[in-house]
Amino acid sequence: MQNKSEYNHPTHFTSSEANEKSTIIWDLGAVLIDWNPHYLYRRIFDDGAEMHHFLENVCTFDWNEEQDGGRTIQEANDYLIARHPEHEAHIKAYYGRWEEMLGGPIHASVEILRVMKSRGEHKLYALTNWSAELFPIALERYDFLGWFDGIVVSGTENDRKPNHSFYHTLLNRYELQPDEVLFIDDNLRNIKAAEQLGIESIHFTSPEDLKERLEKMGVL
């Protein structure tokens, strides 16, 4: 799962362009599901600066992405503890108490997804960077994940965004053409990768902005 990045060049669509899109592909983390390691580590560290140093230098974003790409949690812990044995307990907490990083659904985004599902005008898929070992927790916790026509999970595929091969996995599996698809993601890196494949994209910054842009496109 990933953090947000800024995107300053939003794409504008006409209603006719929107009508050509048969399929909407959603990212999950930070778009539909609130996830943040700070929720856990604020309970562990009394000092905010110490917490930030730990997350920026020990349990880093890049380290976590390797689990999204298929590395097991045991392998991840062993790798990091060997390099930072003094932080063993805090490292094990990352996945041992991972559910405490979940802040719940992003309700306004889920409402947009609900409207799309109820109208039935588009196929709905999710393309997510997520550990295969942890994704079953999300499936149990968030009923709206059952609204998708299919979900492609990076950890299951041993691949992840922004690799072009991961996008192709979804496109090929569900027999989709890039020009038929609209992609929604909070990470600029992933947006750029999709656009390189000819997939029109919306950089998610807030549910309100997403709703406004989808309405202008005629999707909502």
Side-chain angles (χ1 to χ4, degrees), residues 1-2 23-33 68 113 123-131 135 145 148-157 159-174 176 181-187 189-191 193-195 197 199-201:
M1 303 179 70
Q2 300 177 357
T23 302
I24 313 297
I25 300 175
W26 288 75
D27 177 37
L28 297 180
V31 176
L32 289 164
I33 297 170
D68 289 347
L113 178 65
K123 286 287 187 179
L124 301 172
Y125 296 100
L127 187 70
T128 184
N129 282 3
W130 207 304
S131 162
F135 194 67
L145 294 179
F148 288 104
D149 296 292
I151 301 175
V152 178
V153 179
S154 63
T156 302
E157 306 297 332
D159 200 359
R160 58 180 171 82
K161 296 176 284 188
N163 298 338
H164 288 181
S165 54
F166 189 47
Y167 298 82
H168 281 302
T169 295
L170 186 147
L171 295 174
N172 293 337
R173 182 168 299 167
Y174 298 107
L176 304 172
V181 169
L182 174 66
F183 176 58
I184 301 166
D185 198 293
D186 69 296
N187 191 301
R189 182 190 63 178
N190 300 338
I191 291 290
E195 290 177 340
L197 296 172
I199 298 172
E200 300 281 7
S201 302

Side-chain angles (χ1 to χ4, degrees), residues 65-82:
E65 273 206 319
E66 292 298 319
Q67 287 70 266
D68 289 347
R71 183 168 64 182
T72 69
I73 290 172
Q74 184 64 55
E75 290 170 338
N77 284 342
D78 290 346
Y79 171 86
L80 215 53
I81 291 167

Side-chain angles (χ1 to χ4, degrees), residues 14-27:
T14 65
S15 294
S16 61
E17 287 174 316
N19 291 337
E20 296 173 358
K21 306 299 180 185
S22 62
T23 302
I24 313 297
I25 300 175
W26 288 75
D27 177 37

Side-chain angles (χ1 to χ4, degrees), residues 5 7-8 16 22 29 33 66 80 82 94 120 129 146-147 156-157 180 188 213 217:
S5 56
Y7 186 49
N8 298 317
S16 61
S22 62
I33 297 170
E66 292 298 319
L80 215 53
Y94 195 98
N129 282 3
W147 301 348
T156 302
E157 306 297 332
E180 299 173 344
L188 174 59
R213 295 178 66 180
M217 293 172 60

Side-chain angles (χ1 to χ4, degrees), residues 1-3 55 59-66 187 189:
M1 303 179 70
Q2 300 177 357
N3 297 325
L55 292 174
C59 288
T60 65
F61 174 76
D62 290 341
W63 171 77
N64 177 64
E65 273 206 319
E66 292 298 319
N187 191 301
R189 182 190 63 178

Side-chain angles (χ1 to χ4, degrees), residues 49-141:
E50 187 179 355
M51 177 192 73
H52 286 291
H53 183 271
F54 175 80
L55 292 174
E56 290 170 5
N57 295 279
V58 183
C59 288
T60 65
F61 174 76
D62 290 341
W63 171 77
N64 177 64
E65 273 206 319
E66 292 298 319
Q67 287 70 266
D68 289 347
R71 183 168 64 182
T72 69
I73 290 172
Q74 184 64 55
E75 290 170 338
N77 284 342
D78 290 346
Y79 171 86
L80 215 53
I81 291 167
R83 285 155 180 78
H84 303 279
E86 72 279 12
H87 292 298
E88 179 174 357
H90 293 162
I91 291 167
K92 288 183 175 179
Y94 195 98
Y95 293 114
R97 297 174 60 181
W98 179 84
E99 290 187 61
E100 295 178 53
M101 299 181 189
L102 293 170
I106 301 175
H107 294 287
S109 294
V110 174
E111 176 60 17
I112 294 170
L113 178 65
R114 186 198 65 77
V115 171
M116 287 183 177
K117 184 65 175 179
S118 65
R119 291 183 177 178
E121 297 173 356
H122 301 87
K123 286 287 187 179
L124 301 172
Y125 296 100
L127 187 70
T128 184
N129 282 3
W130 207 304
S131 162
E133 295 174 81
L134 298 174
F135 194 67
I137 297 172
L139 287 175
E140 290 182 6
R141 183 175 291 216

